[in-house]
Amino acid sequence: MGYSRFYLVLLLSICVGNSLASPIEDQERDRITQLPGQPKNVGFAQYSGYVTVNEESGRSLFYWLTEAPVSRGPESRPLVLWLNGGPGCSSIAYGASEEMGPFHIRPDGKSLYLNPYAWNNLANILFLESPAGVGFSYSNKTTELYTFGDKRTAEDAYTFLVNWFERFPQYKHREFYIAGESYAGHYVPQLAQIVYRKNKGIENPVINFKGVMVGNAVTDDYHDYVGTFEYWWTHGLVSDSTYRMLRIACDFGSSQHPSVQCMQALKVAVVEQGNIDPYSIYTQPCKSTASLRRGLRAYDPCTERYSDLYFNRPEVQKALHANVTGISYPWKTCSDIVGNYWTDSPLSMLPIYRELINASLQIWLYSGDTDAVVPVTATRYSIDALKLPTIINWYPWYDNGKVGGWSQVYKGLTFVTVRGAGHEVPLHRPRQAFILFRSFLENKSMPSTS
């Protein structure tokens, strides 16, 4: 008498353990059935969990995939990886929870509501907490958290992608884009460079890489600071004398370590600016503290407080398949350890942009124009340093008859500003950010008629 099919499968699974697990089974383990406080019948699939990027130290990165709604055909939509910056800040806290994610958190820290301008209406969005030590991502070797920098962050993110595509084979060969903001102005081009170089010479690469989009991006130290100081002065945030002192004392083109005179000038500038939110100079701050570190924090009205409450709830972590190893510290919007002990940070991303432009990849940079931390003038100086020919000169773009911002199209790069938006453009101007994202995916210039 032969064994039943069920008994054979059971016997084999005992003998070979997890080796029989298929990508589909791994996916199903990561499927989110319902988040606490989530609206019902949302109409799209979600997955979250861990992908190991280093077996030896147990480095594992946490992701959250929000697919496009079933009604919009997720199987035909591109995949977009979203990275927040810091360094050390969580893409779950910012991108997913207060910017373009499908859910925003209510002030009670317990319930969620739908974001009508969620980007997963246009694409499948993959949020990644990177590097290890940020958010739910971790390393079993805690000393590693003091040694992260740009290079390892990019390498781990690439390893994550390769392993993630093995778990989600239906996304292999799907059109793929990398997007982010702030210090992701380093993460995005560096990861893009690795993907592009690994793909070279492969006839049918697994990662069908198409392009990048970065907002209020830390790009080139010299031009970023020249543009930042100019923004402070032209927007009435600092005195003439302080502006002159900043220009003389702060030379970030040759060193990442500011002089004593530069630090003194920066401290005076902070005092002169007063109790404003430098990430959004015309809106009320939630806190009175301001940071000198470049791109350290995303805009902080009070929304990150709601994230702190929500993602530290045990039932939320269980629903997300997060904190499965019992991390010894609470989930935070930004890791002070990772950020404060950052080891390597190149002075400029411009050489990488030149390489990506020569590769004919799609490159969009955008700026909210009320951000005083990585302001629009900083990005304009950095772009100007690339010396690209202009295809479409500076023009206003429109949303419902109103100017949404301005744009200029260069050979190999599109630049867009969003009027009235701070550091986190989708937080301040969600509708305009949605239009921007749609134009990017379609690779069409911004709507130019009122």
Side-chain angles (χ1 to χ4, degrees):
M1 181 175 170
Y3 292 117
S4 70
R5 185 182 299 273
F6 171 78
Y7 186 76
L8 279 171
V9 171
L10 179 63
L11 190 63
L12 281 169
S13 67
I14 292 170
C15 292
V16 298
N18 290 332
S19 64
L20 282 181
S22 70
I24 301 303
E25 289 172 327
D26 289 338
Q27 278 184 44
E28 284 307 307
R29 274 197 292 270
D30 286 358
R31 183 185 288 273
I32 298 171
T33 52
Q34 179 85 9
L35 292 172
Q38 175 187 310
K40 293 178 180 175
N41 304 318
V42 295
F44 58 85
Q46 307 175 71
Y47 301 84
S48 62
Y50 287 97
V51 172
T52 301
V53 295
N54 186 284
E55 295 283 353
E56 184 182 351
S57 64
R59 283 204 308 278
S60 297
L61 301 186
F62 181 80
Y63 80 90
W64 183 3
L65 171 69
T66 59
E67 291 192 330
V70 173
S71 61
R72 293 176 179 260
E75 65 283 347
S76 64
R77 300 277 177 172
L79 176 69
V80 178
L81 175 70
W82 176 266
L83 301 169
N84 277 92
C89 292
S90 162
S91 301
I92 303 301
Y94 296 104
S97 299
E98 62 182 47
E99 294 187 79
M100 74 291 298
F103 305 118
H104 287 176
I105 304 169
R106 295 190 190 278
D108 62 5
K110 296 179 180 179
S111 54
L112 308 175
Y113 63 96
L114 284 171
N115 172 16
Y117 298 108
W119 287 9
N120 74 321
N121 286 307
L122 299 171
N124 303 288
I125 310 295
L126 178 60
F127 298 97
L128 177 64
E129 290 191 311
S130 173
V134 174
F136 293 123
S137 297
Y138 68 91
S139 171
N140 291 332
K141 190 177 177 182
T142 53
T143 53
E144 283 191 338
L145 307 189
Y146 296 84
T147 61
F148 279 106
D150 281 22
K151 188 173 186 293
R152 191 191 297 169
T153 298
E155 291 169 349
D156 279 2
Y158 180 76
T159 302
F160 164 84
L161 284 175
V162 171
N163 294 341
W164 188 89
F165 279 116
E166 289 302 313
R167 189 176 302 180
F168 288 83
Q170 70 268 34
Y171 280 99
K172 287 183 178 182
H173 312 297
R174 192 82 63 92
E175 286 192 351
F176 175 68
Y177 299 89
I178 307 172
E181 71 188 11
S182 193
Y183 197 79
H186 276 217
Y187 296 164
V188 171
Q190 289 175 119
L191 176 57
Q193 183 184 51
I194 294 177
V195 173
Y196 164 66
R197 289 181 173 180
K198 296 281 189 182
N199 277 353
K200 276 206 302 189
I202 301 175
E203 191 172 338
N204 294 301
V206 167
I207 302 177
N208 183 15
F209 182 43
K210 294 297 183 181
V212 301
M213 181 173 74
V214 198
N216 292 79
V218 175
T219 304
D220 175 272
D221 282 12
Y222 174 76
H223 294 101
D224 282 355
Y225 278 99
V226 168
T228 297
F229 300 152
E230 185 173 303
Y231 186 92
W232 293 354
W233 182 60
T234 57
H235 286 72
L237 303 181
V238 298
S239 65
D240 296 356
S241 58
T242 298
Y243 175 58
R244 282 194 294 269
M245 182 56 66
L246 289 166
R247 291 293 303 269
I248 294 168
C250 298
D251 177 16
F252 289 96
S254 58
S255 172
Q256 291 174 317
H257 304 290
S259 65
V260 173
Q261 292 82 1
C262 176
M263 289 303 298
Q264 289 173 341
L266 286 168
K267 288 177 181 177
V268 172
V270 169
V271 171
E272 289 180 351
Q273 288 174 23
N275 183 23
I276 64 167
D277 183 349
Y279 296 92
S280 173
I281 64 174
Y282 299 126
T283 58
Q284 289 297 315
C286 187
K287 299 177 181 178
S288 59
T289 56
S291 172
L292 289 175
R293 243 171 65 201
R294 53 186 182 138
L296 169 66
R297 291 269 179 170
Y299 173 65
D300 176 23
C302 284
T303 47
E304 71 174 36
R305 293 182 180 180
Y306 317 150
S307 295
D308 267 327
L309 291 169
Y310 188 77
F311 291 110
N312 277 300
R313 296 174 62 200
E315 61 269 36
V316 171
Q317 295 181 3
K318 183 178 180 181
L320 285 168
H321 322 116
N323 197 14
V324 292
T325 58
I327 300 170
S328 61
Y329 46 85
W331 180 93
K332 291 179 67 177
T333 55
C334 295
S335 167
D336 293 330
I337 292 174
V338 171
N340 289 332
Y341 289 89
W342 202 251
T343 58
D344 62 284
S345 177
L347 293 172
S348 180
M349 293 295 104
L350 297 182
I352 297 179
Y353 276 117
R354 291 188 184 99
E355 181 178 347
L356 300 179
I357 289 168
N358 289 335
S360 299
L361 290 163
Q362 184 181 328
I363 300 170
W364 282 42
L365 298 179
Y366 66 91
S367 286
D369 64 11
T370 68
D371 174 23
V373 177
V374 191
V376 59
T377 42
T379 301
R380 292 181 75 175
Y381 274 120
S382 292
I383 292 173
D384 186 62
L386 290 169
K387 302 192 183 309
L388 302 172
T390 295
I391 304 298
I392 304 175
N393 203 20
W394 193 262
Y395 68 94
W397 64 269
Y398 289 87
D399 171 33
N400 277 347
K402 296 179 180 179
V403 174
W406 291 265
S407 181
Q408 183 154 334
V409 180
Y410 301 88
K411 186 178 181 181
L413 185 148
T414 295
F415 178 56
V416 180
T417 76
V418 181
R419 187 163 71 107
H423 193 64
E424 290 180 81
V425 170
L427 172 61
H428 292 279
R429 293 290 185 266
R431 178 183 166 85
Q432 289 75 22
F434 186 85
I435 294 169
L436 166 66
F437 185 57
R438 185 179 62 202
S439 297
F440 167 74
L441 292 177
E442 296 173 353
N443 199 19
K444 294 180 180 178
S445 55
M446 299 298 289
S448 58
T449 56
S450 58

